[in-house]
Coordinates of all heavy atoms in Angstrom, one line a residue:
V1 N -7.4 9.4 -28.0 CA -6.2 9.0 -27.2 C -6.8 8.7 -25.8 O -7.5 9.5 -25.2 CB -5.1 10.2 -27.0 CG1 -4.0 9.7 -26.1 CG2 -4.6 10.4 -28.4
K2 N -6.4 7.5 -25.3 CA -6.9 7.1 -24.0 C -6.2 7.7 -22.9 O -5.3 7.0 -22.2 CB -7.0 5.6 -24.0 CG -7.9 4.9 -25.0 CD -7.9 3.4 -24.8 CE -9.1 2.8 -25.8 NZ -9.2 1.3 -25.6
M3 N -6.4 8.9 -22.5 CA -5.8 9.5 -21.2 C -6.7 9.6 -20.2 O -7.9 10.1 -20.4 CB -5.2 10.9 -21.7 CG -4.7 11.7 -20.4 SD -4.1 13.4 -20.9 CE -3.7 13.9 -19.2
D4 N -6.4 9.1 -19.0 CA -7.2 9.1 -17.9 C -6.6 10.0 -16.8 O -5.6 10.7 -16.9 CB -7.6 7.7 -17.3 CG -6.4 6.9 -17.0 OD1 -5.3 7.6 -16.9 OD2 -6.5 5.8 -16.8
L5 N -7.3 10.1 -15.6 CA -6.8 10.8 -14.5 C -6.0 10.0 -13.5 O -5.7 10.4 -12.4 CB -8.0 11.5 -13.8 CG -8.8 12.6 -14.5 CD1 -10.0 13.1 -13.7 CD2 -7.8 13.8 -14.8
N6 N -5.7 8.8 -14.0 CA -4.9 7.9 -13.1 C -3.4 8.2 -13.3 O -2.7 7.8 -14.3 CB -5.1 6.4 -13.3 CG -4.3 5.5 -12.5 OD1 -3.7 5.9 -11.6 ND2 -4.4 4.2 -12.8
F7 N -2.9 9.0 -12.3 CA -1.5 9.4 -12.5 C -0.5 8.5 -11.7 O 0.7 8.9 -11.4 CB -1.3 10.8 -11.8 CG -1.7 11.9 -12.8 CD1 -2.8 11.7 -13.7 CD2 -1.1 13.2 -12.7 CE1 -3.1 12.6 -14.6 CE2 -1.5 14.2 -13.5 CZ -2.5 14.0 -14.5
N8 N -1.0 7.2 -11.3 CA -0.2 6.2 -10.7 C 0.0 6.6 -9.2 O -0.3 7.8 -8.8 CB 1.1 5.9 -11.2 CG 1.0 5.4 -12.7 OD1 0.0 4.6 -12.9 ND2 1.9 5.8 -13.5
L9 N 0.3 5.6 -8.4 CA 0.4 5.7 -6.9 C 1.3 6.7 -6.4 O 0.9 7.6 -5.6 CB 0.6 4.3 -6.3 CG 0.6 4.3 -4.7 CD1 -0.8 4.7 -4.3 CD2 1.0 2.9 -4.2
L10 N 2.5 6.7 -6.8 CA 3.7 7.6 -6.3 C 3.3 9.0 -6.7 O 3.3 10.0 -5.9 CB 5.0 7.2 -7.0 CG 6.2 8.1 -6.5 CD1 6.3 8.1 -5.1 CD2 7.4 7.6 -7.3
E11 N 2.9 9.3 -8.0 CA 2.6 10.6 -8.4 C 1.4 11.2 -7.7 O 1.4 12.4 -7.2 CB 2.3 10.6 -10.0 CG 3.5 10.4 -10.8 CD 4.0 8.9 -10.8 OE1 3.3 8.1 -10.2 OE2 5.0 8.6 -11.4
T12 N 0.3 10.4 -7.6 CA -0.9 10.8 -6.9 C -0.7 11.1 -5.5 O -1.2 12.0 -4.8 CB -2.1 9.9 -7.1 OG1 -2.2 9.6 -8.5 CG2 -3.4 10.4 -6.6
G13 N 0.1 10.2 -4.8 CA 0.4 10.4 -3.4 C 1.2 11.7 -3.1 O 1.0 12.3 -2.2
S14 N 2.1 12.0 -4.1 CA 2.8 13.2 -4.0 C 1.9 14.4 -4.1 O 2.0 15.4 -3.3 CB 4.0 13.2 -5.0 OG 4.9 12.2 -4.9
L15 N 1.1 14.3 -5.1 CA 0.0 15.4 -5.2 C -0.8 15.6 -3.9 O -1.0 16.7 -3.5 CB -0.8 15.2 -6.4 CG -1.9 16.1 -6.7 CD1 -1.4 17.5 -7.0 CD2 -2.8 15.6 -7.8
A16 N -1.2 14.5 -3.4 CA -2.1 14.5 -2.2 C -1.4 15.1 -1.0 O -1.9 16.0 -0.2 CB -2.5 13.1 -1.8
L17 N -0.2 14.7 -0.7 CA 0.7 15.3 0.3 C 0.9 16.8 0.2 O 0.9 17.6 1.1 CB 1.9 14.5 0.5 CG 1.8 13.1 0.9 CD1 3.1 12.3 0.9 CD2 1.1 13.0 2.4
A18 N 1.2 17.2 -1.1 CA 1.4 18.6 -1.4 C 0.2 19.5 -1.1 O 0.4 20.5 -0.5 CB 1.9 18.8 -2.8
I19 N -0.9 19.0 -1.5 CA -2.2 19.7 -1.3 C -2.4 19.8 0.2 O -2.9 20.8 0.7 CB -3.3 19.1 -2.0 CG1 -3.1 19.3 -3.4 CG2 -4.7 19.8 -1.6 CD1 -4.1 18.6 -4.4
I20 N -2.3 18.7 1.0 CA -2.6 18.7 2.4 C -1.6 19.5 3.1 O -2.1 20.3 4.0 CB -2.6 17.3 2.8 CG1 -3.7 16.3 2.2 CG2 -2.6 17.1 4.4 CD1 -3.6 14.9 2.6
A21 N -0.3 19.5 2.8 CA 0.6 20.2 3.5 C 0.5 21.8 3.2 O 0.5 22.6 4.2 CB 2.2 19.9 2.9
T22 N 0.1 22.1 2.0 CA -0.3 23.5 1.7 C -1.5 24.0 2.5 O -1.5 25.2 2.9 CB -0.5 23.7 0.2 OG1 0.6 23.3 -0.4 CG2 -0.8 25.1 -0.2
S23 N -2.6 23.2 2.6 CA -3.8 23.5 3.2 C -3.5 23.8 4.7 O -4.1 24.8 5.3 CB -4.9 22.6 3.0 OG -5.2 22.3 1.6
F24 N -2.7 22.9 5.3 CA -2.4 23.1 6.8 C -1.6 24.3 6.9 O -1.7 25.1 7.9 CB -1.5 21.9 7.3 CG -2.5 20.8 7.7 CD1 -2.8 19.6 7.1 CD2 -3.2 20.9 9.1 CE1 -3.5 18.7 7.5 CE2 -4.0 19.9 9.5 CZ -4.2 18.9 8.8
T25 N -0.6 24.6 6.0 CA 0.2 25.8 6.1 C -0.6 27.1 6.1 O -0.2 28.1 6.8 CB 1.2 25.8 5.0 OG1 2.0 24.6 5.0 CG2 2.2 27.0 5.1
L26 N -1.7 27.1 5.4 CA -2.4 28.4 5.1 C -3.6 28.5 6.0 O -4.5 29.3 5.7 CB -2.7 28.5 3.7 CG -1.5 28.5 2.6 CD1 -2.1 28.5 1.2 CD2 -0.6 29.6 2.9
Q27 N -3.8 27.7 7.0 CA -5.1 27.6 7.7 C -5.3 28.9 8.6 O -6.4 29.1 9.0 CB -5.2 26.2 8.4 CG -4.2 26.1 9.5 CD -4.4 24.8 10.2 OE1 -5.4 24.1 10.0 NE2 -3.4 24.3 11.0
D28 N -4.3 29.6 9.1 CA -4.4 30.5 10.1 C -4.2 32.0 9.7 O -4.4 32.9 10.5 CB -3.5 30.3 11.3 CG -2.0 30.3 10.9 OD1 -1.8 30.5 9.7 OD2 -1.2 30.5 11.8
G29 N -4.1 32.2 8.4 CA -4.1 33.6 7.9 C -2.7 34.5 8.3 O -2.7 35.6 8.0
S30 N -1.8 33.7 8.7 CA -0.4 34.3 9.1 C 0.7 33.5 8.5 O 0.5 32.3 8.3 CB -0.3 34.6 10.6 OG -0.3 33.4 11.3

């Protein structure tokens, strides 16, 4: 089955923003 890691623009953009927002949220330990 030809499954790749291309989740399309909208889906990948949502994933990127979620990871970036979480990383900023947890950067100070409080």
Side-chain angles (χ1 to χ4, degrees):
V1 179
K2 294 184 177 181
M3 175 183 174
D4 58 15
L5 293 175
N6 180 9
F7 280 28
N8 297 325
L9 181 60
L10 178 62
E11 290 79 359
T12 307
S14 301
L15 177 63
L17 292 175
I19 293 175
I20 293 172
T22 303
S23 299
F24 272 104
T25 301
L26 303 177
Q27 64 181 344
D28 63 348
S30 63

